[in-house]
Amino acid sequence: MAKTALVTGASGGIGGAIAKRLSVMGYSLILMYGSNDAGIKALAESLTSGSNVEAVRCDFKDGASLDSVSRLLNEKHKDIEVIIHAAGISKRELFHEMSPEDFENLISVNIRPLYYITRALIPEMIEKGTGDIISISSIWGSRAASMEVAYAMTKGALEQFTRGLAAELSHMGVRVNAIAPGGIDTEILSNLSISEKDEFLSDIPFKRLGRPDEIADLVEFLLTKGRYMTGQVITMDGGYTL
Ligand SMILES: NC(=O)c1ccc[n+]([C@@H]2O[C@H](COP(=O)([O-])OP(=O)(O)OC[C@H]3O[C@@H](n4cnc5c(N)ncnc54)[C@H](OP(=O)(O)O)[C@@H]3O)[C@@H](O)[C@H]2O)c1
């Protein structure tokens, strides 16, 4: 029977690349997204033929909907072996100028799904004694991030979720890891001006942004070769933080 993976942020650059790779690896897919219907349709059509694909639209800013969709997923799918938490938003702003709404949105999209979706799906993983949870953090999850303090707070929470849950589930066959990218060429970087992007690029030793499929490479590694790893946050940033 095909294994099933759930990917949040599947309509985005990184989530989409991971979904494509999981499809090639033979997984059936549950693609979660916020609002980009056209993007998710295009992704579903591009996937390896034969993959069983279900798209689930859920705006994580709506807490009640996130909770009910998570519960429905648990009722309907007893075969999810992989959860990829790739949904995320960022906001570049001085901390004291950020509106309460923007702050709450960061918490809702970047942190709340870690709790609601994971909580709903873990019991089946524990029962089967196998499962992988991989979340997308950021280099700012463990470093000082001027202008992105609130975003960095959410990624710091994601990294502690990763380490704590890995410890809690380590003797139950469920592995929990995270990837901390530097600059990856996706829509989320559109919040940088052209000059900010140029400055960022010149500070990356590899002199280029990463590609979403390079993050997918690491996900594939964790699911295949990296079976003796849990609780790890792996940085992929072209040398930016060295
Ligand atoms: N690209 C980078 O340089 C970089 C670096 C470090 C970390 N990251 C992290 O990587 C992850 C993926 O980012 P990306 O680069 O792929 O960005 P992206 O292309 O902008 O994708 C973001 C994804 O998050 C989803 N999302 C946004 N708001 C949502 C909401 N309210 N409810 C549900 N889903 C929502 C989007 O869905 P819809 O568009 O359908 O709403 C989209 O699928 C994020 O967690 C980000 O923080 C990215």
Side-chain angles (χ1 to χ4, degrees):
M1 204 169 73
K3 297 190 235 180
T4 300
L6 179 146
V7 182
T8 75
S11 56
I14 291 175
I18 294 170
K20 280 184 190 159
R21 184 64 57 88
L22 292 170
S23 169
V24 171
M25 291 169 71
Y27 283 88
S28 293
L29 291 172
I30 300 164
L31 305 175
M32 292 192 76
Y33 68 108
S35 60
N36 186 355
D37 297 316
I40 212 76
K41 186 163 179 275
L43 172 68
E45 285 168 5
S46 75
L47 296 176
T48 306
S49 61
S51 316
N52 198 353
V53 177
E54 178 180 340
V56 177
R57 180 175 165 141
C58 177
D59 181 355
F60 294 159
K61 289 177 194 160
D62 178 350
S65 164
L66 171 60
D67 189 19
S68 63
V69 167
S70 301
R71 288 173 194 274
L72 278 175
L73 284 168
N74 170 252
E75 280 165 27
K76 188 170 167 198
H77 295 278
K78 301 293 179 194
D79 53 352
I80 297 173
E81 288 193 15
V82 174
I83 305 173
I84 308 287
H85 289 291
I89 52 173
S90 70
K91 186 83 186 167
R92 280 175 62 75
E93 214 168 7
L94 286 173
F95 188 65
H96 63 278
E97 290 181 356
M98 176 170 278
S99 69
E101 188 188 358
D102 283 341
F103 182 74
E104 295 297 336
N105 285 344
L106 281 164
I107 302 290
S108 296
V109 178
N110 294 4
I111 300 182
R112 292 221 161 88
L114 303 176
Y115 169 70
Y116 284 100
I117 295 174
T118 313
R119 171 186 80 146
L121 302 181
I122 277 181
E124 297 297 332
M125 291 183 169
I126 292 174
E127 199 177 310
K128 292 196 177 73
T130 183
D132 277 275
I133 300 164
I134 301 174
S135 310
I136 309 299
S137 182
S138 160
I139 49 172
W140 305 125
S142 58
R143 292 170 185 87
S146 168
M147 295 291 286
E148 292 195 85
V149 176
Y151 174 74
M153 287 167 68
T154 67
K155 294 305 186 181
L158 181 152
E159 295 190 6
Q160 279 300 80
F161 157 82
T162 299
R163 284 184 275 268
L165 193 64
E168 198 166 290
L169 300 179
S170 56
H171 50 290
M172 300 179 199
V174 181
R175 301 173 325 121
V176 189
N177 290 292
I179 296 172
I184 306 295
D185 194 7
T186 73
E187 187 57 34
I188 210 169
L189 293 187
S190 61
N191 66 6
L192 296 178
S193 67
I194 292 178
S195 62
E196 285 172 332
K197 214 168 180 175
D198 286 345
E199 194 185 329
F200 184 27
L201 269 179
S202 71
D203 287 343
I204 301 172
F206 285 14
K207 298 297 172 216
R208 68 170 178 87
L209 294 173
R211 297 188 310 273
D213 66 281
E214 290 175 304
I215 301 292
D217 288 339
L218 195 42
V219 169
E220 181 172 357
F221 171 83
L222 285 169
L223 294 177
T224 55
K225 302 273 200 305
R227 305 298 303 167
Y228 200 54
M229 295 170 67
T230 195
Q232 301 308 303
V233 180
I234 307 161
T235 297
M236 183 184 269
D237 68 354
Y240 182 76
T241 54
L242 294 177

